[in-house]
Amino acid sequence: EPEVTQTPSHQVTQMGQEVILRCVPISNHLYFYWYRQILGQKVEFLVSFYNNEISEKSEIFDDQFSVERPDGSNFTLKIRSTKLEDSAMYFCASSEELNNEQFFGPGTRLTVL
Amino acid sequence: QKEVEQNSGPLSVPEGAIASLNCTYSDRGSQSFFWYRQYSGKSPELIMFIYSNGDKEDGRFTAQLNKASQYVSLLIRDSQPSDSATYLCAVSPSGGSYIPTFGRGTSLIVHP
């Protein structure tokens, strides 16, 4: 069964460093998303992406964040200058259509020291 | 602010019983409703979605939607210890956005 994959599974970084989280969505899906979940808290939407551009973003997704689809398969989230409060699980998701079921990847645990 | 509320639990049920998980939402125009299961340290896994009022059954799971009362519930029949997880309710809003808002989740414990 096709699935969303994410790398790395765990990323440790120093405050102020840049990180890039990678995702490979399900191949026939057209809509891609990034969410984060701080430990013990709810899943929060960051950004959605369709047709090579951002379609929606939340208040969390400020200028420190960017997304890119560098090729036909990868979808990346970049955090330019990480802060301690960026420590969380970051989930990539994809869906075939808008307002359709979203399938989540296994997540990347980001730890900012 | 669109809210999705769930009792955090834990909800404890014996093996073989019916587990009933509830979710209320504030956006009356919401169109789509999803239930995800999340094991500790893992990602959310979609188990049910429902768009229309009434019941939708899939195996041991039944989703129930009542738009007038703005709640959606998930019933798990013949609960198994492997069902022990946090269940997340997600609601897609009205007004042009299709991004679901997640509740905090209800922790379910099924004890043998």
Side-chain angles (χ1 to χ4, degrees), chain A residues 18-54:
Chain A
E18 174 184 287
V19 295
I20 297 176
L21 310 183
R22 292 181 167 79
C23 168
V24 178
I26 295 172
S27 61
N28 65 328
H29 285 188
L30 301 177
Y31 297 86
F32 315 126
Y33 314 85
W34 282 102
Y35 292 86
R36 78 172 185 192
Q37 188 176 31
I38 295 170
L39 186 63
Q41 299 190 24
K42 61 180 176 179
V43 174
E44 298 175 292
F45 167 72
L46 293 177
V47 65
S48 61
F49 193 85
Y50 169 71
N51 199 25
N52 283 322
E53 60 183 26
I54 291 173

Side-chain angles (χ1 to χ4, degrees), chain A residues 33 35 37 41-43 45 48 56 89 91 98-102 104-106, chain B residues 32 34 36 38 42-44 46 49 51 88 92 97-100 102-104:
Chain A
Y33 314 85
Y35 292 86
Q37 188 176 31
Q41 299 190 24
K42 61 180 176 179
V43 174
F45 167 72
S48 61
E56 279 190 70
M89 282 289 284
F91 296 112
L98 200 57
N99 203 27
N100 208 344
E101 310 90 78
Q102 296 182 19
F104 281 70
Chain B
S32 306
F34 307 90
Y36 287 85
Q38 187 175 30
K42 302 295 185 183
S43 62
L46 181 69
F49 59 90
Y51 302 135
L88 310 179
S92 286
S97 171
Y98 296 99
I99 303 304
F102 282 78
R104 288 186 175 275

